[in-house]
Amino acid sequence: MKKKRHIKSAKSMPVGTRIFTYICLLWALIVALVPLIWLILSSLKEDPLARPGFQLPESIYLNGYISTFRDLHVLRYFGNSMFVAGVSVIISVVMISMSAYVVARMEFKGKTLVSILLYSTMFIPATALTYPVYNLINNLSLYDTRGALILIYSCSGIAISFFVIKNYYDNIPRDLEEAARIDGCGYVRTWVKVIFPIARPGIMTAAVLAFLNNWNEYYWASLVLITREKLTVPSLLSTFTTAFNTNYNGLFSAMVVIILPPVLLYCIFSKFFVEALSGGAVKG
């Protein structure tokens, strides 16, 4: 029934609005797919500079993919990225989802100030935090460890996750919490038994966004890790470039391999994005 209503509303739009909407969607599709197609074509060329752009390769060249798995042992770096990104996401999402619940549902002094401070972190560039974070990592004896990245990633992107989860909490009827309190549930049990199951799409959306950001992060990974065996996949790409030469075929092949996990992750959890954007089951 919902699908039929969506189709009906689309057909009921004025012709000019519908055409403009289709043009915008087509443009967004082109912007999203053109770089991906260019990357895949370049990874199949023996020398991407000899046949640049969208020229088809003379023959399919797969040595870049073979060397990525055989020589670089890319699965090891996949494991590093998966471990660092996964642990940091669990820590940050649990921490932020509970703090967002406090800000969204409870009244206390300084509530507005807390929200402003959390949102203000969105406008602080990573380069401005380089010295204090680098100094903190050294003082904690975490330099060149995965724990350093987990600590940094757990505290990064707080504003986005807080914004997504808090807005979802705001749409949940307070009657559900009041009913849980009548049944004898405290704040923690109310969050676990009532709020979390309903807000799961919003929390999962924040978790996926945080994971993608941590998976693709390069600046901190290249700054605090120097041992090759501990590198994450984005920092691995720097190994294809030397002072005298760049292996473009290997670089493009590795980039294609690296972007596959985020794409698969989004395909698996896309329903949570749809539910979070549409309000999920909390409407009405």
Side-chain angles (χ1 to χ4, degrees):
M1 294 300 293
K2 290 182 178 180
K3 187 175 181 180
K4 291 182 179 179
R5 285 199 297 268
H6 289 313
I7 295 175
K8 183 178 179 181
S9 62
K11 290 183 177 180
S12 63
M13 289 191 303
V15 177
T17 303
R18 196 188 314 168
I19 293 174
F20 179 75
T21 301
Y22 290 154
I23 292 175
C24 292
L25 291 175
L26 179 61
W27 174 250
L29 184 64
I30 292 174
V31 171
L33 291 182
V34 164
L36 183 61
I37 295 173
W38 180 89
L39 179 63
I40 294 174
L41 285 177
S42 298
S43 68
L44 298 176
K45 301 173 184 177
E46 182 175 1
D47 185 4
L49 296 184
R51 299 180 63 84
F54 290 92
Q55 298 183 54
L56 296 177
E58 295 180 348
S59 59
I60 303 299
Y61 188 77
L62 298 178
N63 282 10
Y65 291 99
I66 296 174
S67 62
T68 297
F69 286 95
R70 183 187 61 194
D71 302 330
L72 289 179
H73 307 288
V74 72
L75 294 180
R76 173 196 301 164
Y77 306 102
F78 267 61
N80 293 339
S81 290
M82 193 70 67
F83 175 76
V84 171
V87 173
S88 60
V89 164
I90 293 174
I91 295 174
S92 63
V93 168
V94 171
M95 176 178 62
I96 295 170
S97 60
M98 291 186 174
S99 61
Y101 176 66
V102 172
V103 174
R105 290 308 208 214
M106 302 179 188
E107 296 297 331
F108 56 91
K109 291 183 179 180
K111 176 179 177 178
T112 304
L113 178 61
V114 170
S115 299
I116 293 174
L117 291 176
L118 285 171
Y119 288 135
S120 65
T121 60
M122 189 184 306
F123 307 102
I124 302 177
T127 52
L129 301 174
T130 300
Y131 177 74
V133 172
Y134 188 81
N135 191 41
L136 175 64
I137 294 301
N138 280 322
N139 290 336
L140 294 176
S141 300
L142 292 176
Y143 184 72
D144 195 26
T145 65
R146 299 180 184 91
L149 276 186
I150 292 175
L151 176 63
I152 294 172
Y153 290 169
S154 298
C155 301
S156 301
I158 290 179
I160 300 297
S161 299
F162 181 83
F163 178 79
V164 172
I165 297 175
K166 179 181 177 298
N167 283 354
Y168 208 91
Y169 284 157
D170 290 335
N171 291 326
I172 299 177
R174 292 181 180 269
D175 296 342
L176 298 175
E177 294 174 84
E178 295 175 359
R181 298 280 163 68
I182 294 174
D183 292 337
C185 294
Y187 286 111
V188 176
R189 191 175 178 185
T190 300
W191 182 83
V192 173
K193 298 292 185 180
V194 179
I195 302 301
F196 177 76
I198 298 176
R200 185 174 57 179
I203 295 174
M204 290 300 298
T205 297
V208 172
L209 292 176
F211 182 88
L212 296 179
N213 181 66
N214 295 342
W215 180 274
N216 296 320
E217 202 281 326
Y218 172 77
Y219 181 75
W220 293 114
S222 62
L223 186 66
V224 302
L225 293 179
I226 56 176
T227 303
R228 184 182 177 88
E229 288 73 18
K230 298 178 182 179
L231 294 178
T232 56
V233 283
S235 55
L236 175 67
L237 297 178
S238 61
T239 61
F240 289 95
T241 302
T242 64
F244 306 100
N245 186 33
T246 299
N247 181 7
Y248 286 104
N249 176 260
L251 177 63
F252 293 147
S253 301
M255 290 174 67
V256 172
V257 173
I258 289 171
I259 65 176
L260 286 179
V263 172
L264 294 176
L265 185 68
Y266 176 79
C267 293
I268 294 172
F269 293 99
S270 60
K271 66 176 183 179
F272 292 109
F273 282 92
V274 176
E275 291 181 22
L277 294 176
S278 61
V282 301
K283 286 190 175 181

